[in-house]
Amino acid sequence: AQSVTQLDSQVPVFEEAPVELRCNYSSSVSVYLFWYVQYPNQGLQLLLKYLSGSTLVKGINGFEAEFNKSQTSFHLRKPSVHISDTAEYFCAVKKGWNQGGKLIFGQGTELSVKP
Amino acid sequence: EAGVTQFPSHSVIEKGQTVTLRCDPISGHDNLYWYRRVMGKEIKFLLHFVKESKQDESGMPNNRFLAERTGGTYSTLKVQPAELEDSGVYFCASSQGDRGVANEKLFFGSGTQLSVL
């Protein structure tokens, strides 16, 4: 069965520090990879996605992620975080091009940015 | 443009009662999805509508859950009778018609927090 594992449930960091949110997936087939963010009292928003091509993907708000096929990872990074980045982050995969919006999510990582 | 709207935002009911959640997708979006997050765990797919038809309901937990999408517009998710383990956050998402994996973009609502006591 396919699964997504977010290795940290909570990540506290200080403002302007770098951050990495880790995500590993298991799949016997090629997948499409996504990171979503949920700010308090809002719906999930797409941060970035990997479909094919360059393994380094840049998203909104200065975030980027790197697809590593050999390690089946898709870690999310930001070189300098802001207070406004405090939110919950979800890694997700889609198995196959014909799966539409059917995503398999990880458990989420709460990023807390402190002044 | 209005986003995906869900209501109520919170619902507290007793075990055995019935609850109906509603989702209004973005106008013109053919695809509508329901997801659920239980007890801070992963968000899990429940089902997918294309217009008024159920395309995939493989994630529905059991027959106490009934989803409908009247006329291909808004959707309701009814839980009857509710059990304790049904507590969680129910998310709805919508997207336009078949635009291919490269272009499909999901828009999520802010969810309904359901508490079954």
Side-chain angles (χ1 to χ4, degrees):
Chain A
Q2 200 159 315
S3 69
V4 178
T5 303
Q6 292 183 240
L7 296 158
D8 306 294
S9 59
Q10 295 180 324
V11 174
V13 295
F14 287 106
E15 192 173 20
E16 298 183 4
V19 71
E20 178 180 80
L21 306 184
R22 297 179 293 167
C23 173
N24 285 87
Y25 67 93
S26 63
S27 175
S28 58
V29 300
S30 296
V31 296
Y32 303 104
L33 298 155
F34 304 81
W35 275 97
Y36 281 83
V37 60
Q38 185 183 22
Y39 299 104
N41 301 315
Q42 295 186 27
L44 279 74
Q45 300 174 34
L46 180 66
L47 265 182
L48 48 79
K49 61 185 176 184
Y50 172 79
L51 303 179
S52 64
S54 173
T55 57
L56 183 63
V57 180
K58 294 190 183 297
I60 62 172
N61 300 339
F63 283 93
E64 63 181 32
E66 185 155 20
F67 170 58
N68 187 319
K69 187 174 182 179
S70 62
Q71 297 188 4
T72 60
S73 68
F74 190 53
H75 301 333
L76 181 70
R77 302 185 184 99
K78 186 170 182 177
S80 175
V81 294
H82 302 292
I83 299 287
S84 59
D85 292 324
T86 294
E88 190 159 19
Y89 293 78
F90 295 92
C91 181
V93 305
K94 178 159 60 178
K95 174 185 162 184
W97 61 270
N98 61 347
Q99 292 295 294
K102 184 177 181 181
L103 301 171
I104 300 168
F105 284 91
Q107 299 93 329
T109 297
E110 291 184 17
L111 175 64
S112 176
V113 182
K114 304 178 187 305
Chain B
E1 178 183 284
V4 177
T5 306
Q6 292 186 247
F7 47 94
S9 58
H10 294 80
S11 180
V12 181
I13 62 172
E14 293 187 352
K15 175 183 172 181
Q17 290 185 322
T18 297
V19 63
T20 300
L21 314 180
R22 173 166 168 152
C23 169
D24 285 71
I26 293 173
S27 177
H29 281 194
D30 289 339
N31 296 300
L32 188 148
Y33 303 85
W34 283 98
Y35 283 85
R36 177 174 75 167
R37 189 183 191 197
V38 174
M39 291 288 287
K41 296 186 177 178
E42 66 271 25
I43 301 169
K44 286 192 172 181
F45 168 84
L46 295 179
L47 87 160
H48 170 207
F49 283 99
V50 177
K51 297 183 181 179
E52 68 277 6
S53 300
K54 292 177 185 175
Q55 181 77 10
D56 181 348
E57 50 184 332
S58 60
M60 294 289 266
N62 52 61
N63 59 11
R64 295 185 294 103
F65 290 76
L66 174 64
E68 295 179 321
R69 189 178 183 192
T70 307
T73 56
Y74 70 91
S75 175
T76 57
L77 181 63
K78 181 190 289 188
V79 185
Q80 179 181 29
E83 299 290 345
L84 300 179
E85 63 265 25
D86 300 332
S87 295
V89 181
Y90 290 77
F91 292 102
C92 175
S94 71
S95 68
Q96 288 185 315
D98 186 7
R99 304 177 68 209
V101 66
N103 296 316
E104 178 164 17
K105 184 175 181 180
L106 281 181
F107 294 84
F108 281 82
S110 55
T112 294
Q113 172 76 57
L114 175 63
S115 299
V116 182
L117 306 179

